[in-house]
Amino acid sequence: MSDVVVRRINTAAVAIIFTVVAIAVLWPVVHLVSAAFTPGRSMANMPVIPFSNGFTTEHFEYLFTQTDYLRWFGNTLIVATATCLGTLLFASLGAYVFSRFRFTFKRPLLMGMLILQVFPSFVGMVAIYVLLYRIGGLDTLWGLVLFYIAGNMPFMIWLVKSYVDGIPRSLDEAARIDGASNLRTYAQIIVPVARPILTFLAVTSFTAPWMDFILPKLILRSPERQTLALGLFSFVTDKNNFFTTFAAGGLLVAVPFVIFFIATQKSLIASLAGGAVKE
Amino acid sequence: MAVTTLEPTTGTVPTRRGPDSPRRRKVRRQAWLFMGLAHVLTLKQYLVGAFFAVLELLFLISLPQIVTNLANLVTLGEPALDVPVKERPNSLFMLVDGVITIALILLFVAVYYVSVRSALTQERAWPPDEPTPPRRRLRDTITGAAFPVLGLAPTVVLLIFFVVVPLVFSTLVAFTNYSAPDHIPPAKTIDWVGLDTFVYMFGGSATWTAALARVFTWTIVWALAATVTCYFGGMLIAVLLTENRFRVTPLLRAIFILPYAIPSVVSLLYWQNALNGAFGTVNRTLLALGLIDSPIPWLSDAWLAKFTVVTINLWAGFPYFMLLIIGTMTSISKDVLEAAEVDGASKVSRFRHIVLPLVMYQTAPLMILSFAHNLNNFGAIFFLTGGDPAVADTTTTGAGGTDIMVSWIYKLTITLLKYNQASVLAVMIFVVLAPFAIFQFQRTKSYREGEL
């Protein structure tokens, strides 16, 4: 066989693989979008061919008028924003301190965090309820936020610390010679230079609460303090089957995520690969 | 926590000069005698000293309470069935208060040690021939010497109360009989039972032992299968995307990112409905296409459900490794590849001998971490199957055919209220994860460069 034929066969094979994978990826996405606009209530009403059973926006109206969707959205937004800000502040401050200072208990603290980051905090779920009950944090958004921030700390501090370690010390020394205090050096030298890693950290800690289920499930009880994941889940439990409402609500969360990820895919690839090479 | 603020390059580390001076001995004695005493009496750091002294006073005042809490931790309360429920001793609070008390004592000891170190460091900065210590303004102390302490204090407190205390508490519960129906506070008390629960789970009860063996094996198999399929699936797509320049490549990449971008609670709950045996679109589509004659029980057959969760997890998880591997492949230096081309290496052998080893070398550690992550991948199981379908022992143990350790813990905690058995599982997870902690530790730059 000549080279050309081999190359043609190769290209055809690759094209087939791509087509199959693309269909497998898109099939559920298209069906999800279709379900959000199809009349009816449950999965059983959904057509085999997407968009072939009429078109309606009633599920979105239902979502906004008959359910607490907006409130869930607001709660999740509050939790995500607070978690993101808290994680940013404490992780960057902690990373700076660990990278640039020597102090008592530095080694045990660093090692302790390294070990803790392997254990997901919800493994201690038996304790979470009792602990928050004891400090009055049960069924509150701040209780959830504190757990998220604490759970983020070990990994994030290490991540930022290894980045800050790579920032030349001559930068902060120059600032210090000019009379800047530690706090100023941190705020005006380290934070701006460490912006790439802090952006990564902000994005990860902001997006995680939108998808998390287990911690809010343990901590939040009352209907007005649910998050999006809990609310969406409640549409499709054994007792309820509001599949189309779920599809509409899910679509509204997924769209901003998809736009964001596709728009930032270049830097996403770079930061993922950067994380792999570093540390 | 922190005391000295010597930046390794700017500051010089004070070395010991001969035996301690009388002044240094005095400072040390005072500092150990009462927290903050040396700061007030000798170093004239009144505010800092007062702060430390107040801490010690608070500790001393709460000493009776501390002793009570510790005693309660040991006894966990005596059953008092003759008094109203509200007034009965609550073992659970005793347990959590006990753990918190121990944490506070350790924290206090640590702060005490820090205060002594702080006094000694300041004494060292005080020239021997000066009669009075160097004056420092409080503001300078906060932005200067105390900066590391203040910067880390919130983090340390958060970590202790929201990460360490829960982990310790969960571990302790494994050694109690905290479970429904007979030992649920506040109506009933709970007691220490030593290793009884472990014995019960590891051989004492045939049903539970069998369920544990089943769930544990499946957890390991699941984590392995999930990691390997996503890694190699992602690699295949990444390689094909980078090596073949179609006009639609950017579009394809955008499509393949979708499962990564869509929140898993949305996509997995969609799949759960779509794969429903009776009314799911998957079966109805296959029937309509004539590919199958009767519905396939994707999620209701114990074996098929295992296969299904791994497959759907591949759908959701391959884009992460695809992105990761595209990133590593594009960061491979062009010079190396060109040099190989000049030497006559074919495209295939360039890939096999240069690209593949480099990618494997850089991403293999993440594969191991991904395995650790999948061991506890609650969402992938819970949203898709909820741990179902039920198997023979499910009514007793709660563990379904696709339950992994964490989702079983969740069920034991939320529905069955078998907290002690859930905690035994948590302890098992700790043991399984420990090697990963060591692995994580050894691959840090700090460890390799001797900082730790």
Side-chain angles (χ1 to χ4, degrees), chain B residues 92-413:
Chain B
L92 206 50
F93 293 165
M94 292 179 175
L95 189 57
V96 75
D97 291 350
V99 176
I100 293 178
T101 307
I102 292 177
L104 285 175
I105 293 174
L106 292 178
L107 203 57
F108 174 75
V109 171
V111 173
Y112 209 127
Y113 183 68
V114 164
S115 82
V116 173
R117 288 287 300 259
S118 153
L120 290 175
T121 315
Q122 291 189 34
E123 191 276 340
R124 191 170 284 154
W126 178 2
D129 39 354
E130 296 272 332
T132 51
R135 292 188 61 84
R136 280 161 65 178
R137 287 187 309 166
L138 185 66
R139 207 174 132 253
D140 295 341
T141 314
I142 288 173
T143 57
F147 182 77
V149 195
L150 298 174
L152 278 188
T155 307
V156 170
V157 170
L158 271 179
L159 275 179
I160 287 179
F161 284 98
F162 291 98
V163 179
V164 179
V165 167
L167 293 184
V168 173
F169 181 94
S170 296
T171 312
L172 289 180
V173 167
F175 299 93
T176 69
N177 57 8
Y178 178 24
S179 63
D182 291 330
H183 299 280
I184 297 289
K188 311 270 181 62
T189 56
I190 59 181
D191 308 289
W192 295 109
V193 294
L195 290 170
D196 285 4
T197 318
F198 285 89
V199 171
Y200 186 75
M201 300 279 284
F202 292 100
S205 154
T207 322
W208 283 89
T209 310
L212 180 62
R214 177 168 62 78
V215 173
F216 187 78
T217 318
W218 164 236
T219 306
I220 305 287
V221 172
W222 145 259
L224 266 179
T227 310
V228 169
T229 50
C230 290
Y231 183 80
F232 288 104
M235 179 185 275
L236 176 73
I237 301 296
V239 170
L240 292 183
L241 275 179
T242 354
E243 298 287 318
N244 293 278
R245 291 269 159 227
F246 292 111
R247 209 173 310 154
V248 289
T249 299
L251 176 68
L252 283 173
R253 198 170 61 187
I255 289 174
F256 295 157
I257 288 178
L258 285 176
Y260 184 64
I262 298 172
S264 60
V265 58
V266 175
S267 56
L268 293 179
L269 283 176
Y270 170 79
W271 275 116
Q272 187 205 49
N273 280 271
L275 289 167
N276 182 293
F279 54 77
T281 23
V282 173
N283 274 342
R284 285 194 285 127
T285 307
L286 291 176
L287 284 169
L289 289 174
L291 292 174
I292 52 171
D293 297 327
S294 56
I296 297 178
W298 296 109
L299 299 175
S300 43
D301 176 82
W303 283 104
L304 191 57
K306 288 184 166 70
F307 176 77
T308 310
V309 285
V310 172
T311 312
I312 299 302
N313 185 66
L314 171 64
W315 180 90
F318 87 89
Y320 167 75
F321 280 113
M322 176 192 82
L323 289 173
L324 185 73
I325 290 169
I326 290 180
T328 10
M329 281 177 78
T330 39
S331 69
I332 292 173
S333 142
K334 295 280 171 294
D335 300 351
V336 184
L337 292 173
E338 274 163 21
E341 201 176 350
V342 170
D343 288 347
S346 71
K347 206 173 163 187
V348 175
S349 75
R350 261 180 289 157
F351 176 74
R352 265 188 48 195
H353 298 290
I354 299 174
V355 178
L356 194 64
L358 276 173
V359 168
M360 290 288 270
Y361 174 75
Q362 293 191 343
T363 52
L366 288 160
M367 205 171 151
I368 293 174
L369 294 181
S370 161
F371 176 78
H373 165 78
N374 277 323
L375 282 176
N376 293 311
N377 199 341
F378 175 81
I381 299 292
F382 188 77
F383 293 140
L384 197 57
T385 66
D388 293 341
V391 292
D393 59 55
T394 304
T395 29
T396 322
T397 61
T402 56
D403 260 319
I404 56 172
M405 298 287 273
V406 269
S407 61
W408 194 18
I409 294 184
Y410 176 83
K411 284 184 180 172
L412 289 175
T413 311

Side-chain angles (χ1 to χ4, degrees), chain A residues 11 14-15 17-18 21-22 24-29 31-32 43-44 46-48 90 93-94 96-98 100-107 109-111 113-120 122-127 130-135 146-147 149-151 153-154 157-158 161 165 169 173 176 181-183 186 210-211 213-214 217-218 229 232-233 236 241 243 246 250 253-254 257-258 261-262 265-266 268-269 272-273 276-279, chain B residues 1-10 13 92-93 96-97 100 110 113-114 117 143-144 147-148 151-152 154-155 158-159 161-167 169-170 237 240-241 244 246 252-266 269-271 273-274 279-282 284-285 315 318 320 323-324 326-328 362 366 376 378 382-383 406 409-410 413-414 419 423 426 430 433 436-437 440-441 443-446 448 451-452:
Chain A
T11 313
V14 171
I17 293 178
F18 279 156
V21 177
V25 166
L26 285 176
W27 188 85
V29 179
H31 267 282
L32 184 75
M43 189 72 194
M46 293 304 108
V48 169
F90 293 138
L93 206 55
Y96 170 57
V97 169
F98 276 120
R100 292 297 199 262
F101 297 87
R102 289 198 206 170
F103 49 86
T104 331
F105 299 130
K106 177 177 175 175
R107 272 173 47 123
L109 279 177
L110 270 177
M111 279 179 169
M113 288 200 310
L114 204 56
I115 291 164
L116 285 179
Q117 66 165 287
V118 177
F119 303 109
F122 62 75
V123 173
M125 61 184 108
V126 182
V130 188
L131 190 74
L132 281 177
Y133 185 86
R134 212 57 186 137
I135 60 169
L146 287 182
F147 260 107
I149 297 179
M153 266 319 114
I157 286 189
W158 266 99
K161 176 188 173 289
D165 282 344
R169 278 159 201 276
E173 273 158 35
R176 208 155 287 141
S181 66
N182 288 323
L183 195 61
Y186 156 76
W210 295 87
M211 321 186 190
F213 178 81
I214 191 162
K217 177 77 185 166
L218 286 168
L232 289 177
F233 189 78
V236 283
N241 201 328
F243 180 73
F246 159 80
V253 200
F257 272 87
V258 168
F261 275 93
I262 289 181
Q265 52 173 308
K266 285 262 157 56
L268 196 69
I269 289 173
L272 279 176
V277 183
K278 262 210 198 65
E279 282 199 76
Chain B
M1 267 173 294
V3 172
T4 50
T5 59
L6 302 158
E7 295 75 33
T9 46
T10 47
V13 183
L92 206 50
F93 293 165
V96 75
D97 291 350
I100 293 178
Y113 183 68
V114 164
R117 288 287 300 259
T143 57
F147 182 77
L152 278 188
T155 307
L158 271 179
L159 275 179
F161 284 98
F162 291 98
V163 179
V164 179
V165 167
L167 293 184
F169 181 94
S170 296
I237 301 296
L240 292 183
L241 275 179
N244 293 278
F246 292 111
L252 283 173
R253 198 170 61 187
I255 289 174
F256 295 157
I257 288 178
L258 285 176
Y260 184 64
I262 298 172
S264 60
V265 58
V266 175
L269 283 176
Y270 170 79
W271 275 116
N273 280 271
F279 54 77
T281 23
V282 173
R284 285 194 285 127
T285 307
W315 180 90
F318 87 89
Y320 167 75
L323 289 173
L324 185 73
I326 290 180
T328 10
Q362 293 191 343
L366 288 160
N376 293 311
F378 175 81
F382 188 77
F383 293 140
V406 269
I409 294 184
Y410 176 83
T413 311
I414 298 268
Y419 299 102
S423 292
F430 297 156
L433 287 179
F436 294 96
Q440 184 72 300
F441 180 68
R443 71 185 271 271
T444 57
K445 215 168 142 203
S446 315
R448 292 202 293 260
E451 190 194 337
L452 278 179

